[in-house]
Structure formats: C-alpha cells, structure tokens
C-alpha cells in the first residue's frame, strides 16, 4: 500500500506531491534542492553548498521514512549546468560509500527556486 510521507522538519510541499512515498520496503523521494528548511530559501548560489543542503534534506526525509543514506539504491541528479558536475560530485562522493548507489545525472533547463541542482533518491526501508 502506498503511504505518503511529509517531513515536519522541512517546508510543506505547496504543490500536489509528497516529500516521499513508501511502497512496501522501498521509499521514493521527490527531488530536493538546496532549500534551507528554516527560511525556505536556497542556502547559497554555488552548487556545492546547494548539493550539501539537498543531501541534508534527503537524509531528513529518509529518517522520517525509516531509512537512511546507507539504504539508498538509486540517485537521480539534475544539474542546470554540466560544468557544475565536478563540484556536485565532490559532495556526492562524501555522502556514499561502496558499493555506490546507481546514479543518473542529466542537465536540465531550469529547477525550482532557481536552484543549480536537484536530487532524488530511492531507498530500501529497514523495519
């Protein structure tokens, strides 16, 4: 059965989506940008800071769903500019250990709030 999950520690979605959806032993997260939970604004204009905050937001939602960064099996990364790949990847490399999750990285025309990066994940749930 599909269960919507919205973290009380992040800004509530203003559009028709959930922060995550749990389906059995998997949780599917909506994309996260580098939005500061306390202000609702992007943390900084640089992709490294936005990537770090996006991962903090992801970790928050995963914890609320009974999962963690160690349980991530798939990552999708959306960049406004592929020139930001190295900076994003440096932060990404600190967040995961081998065996690394499967990953796709694509360039897009624009992202919410004017973000430079958006990240979504799929993780297993341990319960």
């Amino acid at each position: 059965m599909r269960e919507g999950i919205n973290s009380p520690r992040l800004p509530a979605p203003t559009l028709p989506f959930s922060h995550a959806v749990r389906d059995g032993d998997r949780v599917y997260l909506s994309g996260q940008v580098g939005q500061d939970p306390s202000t609702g604004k992007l943390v900084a204009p640089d992709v490294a800071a936005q990537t770090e905050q996006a991962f903090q937001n992801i970790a928050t939602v995963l914890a609320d769903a009974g999962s963690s960064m160690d349980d991530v099996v798939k990552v999708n990364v959306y960049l406004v500019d592929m020139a930001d790949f190295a900076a994003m990847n440096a932060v990404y490399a600190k967040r995961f250990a081998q065996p690394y999750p499967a990953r796709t990285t694509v360039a897009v025309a624009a992202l919410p709030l004017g973000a430079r990066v958006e990240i979504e994940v799929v993780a297993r749930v341990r319960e």
Side-chain angles (χ1 to χ4, degrees):
M1 176 174 259
R2 187 174 70 159
E3 172 192 359
I5 298 165
N6 286 314
S7 174
R9 298 180 287 159
L10 295 180
T14 58
L15 299 172
F17 69 88
S18 299
H19 288 146
V21 172
R22 183 174 174 173
D23 183 26
D25 66 349
R26 292 283 186 248
V27 62
Y28 302 84
L29 271 66
S30 295
Q32 289 290 322
V33 297
Q35 184 180 29
D36 183 323
S38 62
T39 67
K41 298 183 180 186
L42 291 176
V43 292
D46 68 282
V47 74
Q50 288 184 24
T51 301
E52 184 59 45
Q53 185 63 53
F55 277 127
Q56 288 177 19
N57 295 347
I58 288 167
T60 296
V61 176
L62 287 172
D64 290 345
S67 189
S68 74
M69 294 294 287
D70 291 337
D71 298 311
V72 172
V73 296
K74 176 70 169 112
V75 180
N76 291 331
V77 179
Y78 306 95
L79 293 170
V80 172
D81 187 342
M82 287 304 280
D84 288 335
F85 182 88
M88 174 281 298
N89 197 56
V91 175
Y92 181 98
K94 294 176 187 174
R95 285 297 187 148
F96 295 105
Q98 291 187 4
Y100 298 112
R103 179 175 83 181
T104 301
T105 303
V106 298
V108 296
L111 291 169
L113 302 177
R116 300 199 56 79
V117 60
E118 182 172 0
I119 303 169
E120 66 181 30
V121 305
V122 176
R124 62 186 170 182
V125 177
R126 296 184 191 200
E127 288 186 3

